[in-house]
Amino acid sequence: MNLQVTIYKRQNKSGFTLVESLVAITILIIGVLGPMMAATRGITDGLYAQNQLIATHLAQEALELASIQLKNNTVDNFLGGFDNCTGTDPCAVVITPSSNVSFLFDSCSSSNGCNMAYDSTVGFYKYGNGIGPVFKRTLKVTDLDLATHKQVLLEAKVTWFNKQGTAEKNVTLYRYAFNP
């Protein structure tokens, strides 16, 4: 009888086990997602800061134009031109582009609901359709001295929605004006 004994040697196979592969993939995903999340957050915060800066400039522009209007008014007609801005309803500051910039204070109902967007043909924000985010700019004039009309509070408010459109953001600036 011829018995043949075969001895099998375990071969040294190099490679990764399933657990090692899963751990490596998890570490890789964490390493890639972290910077991606930081970049996404940075872009979102940058867009919010840009919109906040634009809103602040739009509100400041409204206050400056209202101050110019008050300065040009006579002492007897201190609130002239602000008929649509006093009371409970705020008004729109409508700017007409030309070589000599003119402006008026109109009701929001006749100024696209006070909604403004960037108009690339003229190069500034105006009421109506345009590109980019839509801002709503309003101006409210409150007479603080009803007897003599010597002190008013100007309130410029600009609102907009963030990119996701879920949370309304706003900037409100105030300025006092006095009738000499």
Side-chain angles (χ1 to χ4, degrees):
M1 174 178 234
N2 190 359
L3 285 176
Q4 193 174 18
V5 178
T6 308
I7 299 175
Y8 292 99
K9 284 186 173 180
R10 183 173 176 196
Q11 295 179 352
N12 245 354
K13 292 185 179 179
S14 62
F16 297 106
T17 65
L18 182 60
V19 173
E20 291 171 331
S21 298
L22 289 175
V23 169
I25 290 172
T26 303
I27 292 171
L28 183 64
I29 288 175
I30 291 171
V32 170
L33 285 182
M36 284 180 56
M37 294 290 283
T40 303
R41 180 64 184 200
I43 291 169
T44 303
D45 289 347
L47 290 174
Y48 172 71
Q50 177 185 9
N51 289 340
Q52 189 176 29
L53 183 64
I54 291 169
T56 303
H57 284 288
L58 290 173
Q60 183 66 34
E61 178 184 55
L63 290 178
E64 288 175 7
L65 293 174
S67 295
I68 290 170
Q69 179 70 32
L70 289 171
K71 183 179 177 184
N72 292 336
N73 287 344
T74 62
V75 173
D76 296 334
N77 189 19
F78 184 57
L79 295 178
F82 291 106
D83 299 334
N84 294 315
C85 303
T86 56
T88 58
D89 294 330
C91 67
V93 182
V94 181
I95 302 171
T96 305
S98 62
S99 59
N100 185 14
V101 175
S102 62
F103 57 91
L104 62 96
F105 304 95
D106 202 359
S107 67
C108 284
S109 60
S110 61
S111 298
N112 196 32
C114 286
N115 292 323
M116 306 179 78
Y118 184 75
D119 185 354
S120 59
T121 58
V122 292
F124 65 89
Y125 283 83
K126 68 175 196 171
Y127 294 99
N129 298 326
I131 58 173
V134 174
F135 296 91
K136 180 177 182 178
R137 176 173 70 181
T138 59
L139 176 71
K140 187 175 179 184
V141 179
T142 305
D143 192 350
L144 299 175
D145 185 3
L146 296 175
T148 61
H149 309 292
K150 290 198 175 271
Q151 182 180 5
V152 295
L153 174 64
L154 305 173
E155 176 186 333
K157 184 175 184 178
V158 179
T159 59
W160 74 97
F161 285 94
N162 60 0
K163 187 172 178 133
Q164 294 81 18
T166 56
E168 183 180 75
K169 308 291 184 185
N170 69 65
V171 170
T172 305
L173 301 179
Y174 300 93
R175 181 180 291 172
Y176 289 97
F178 300 94
N179 187 3

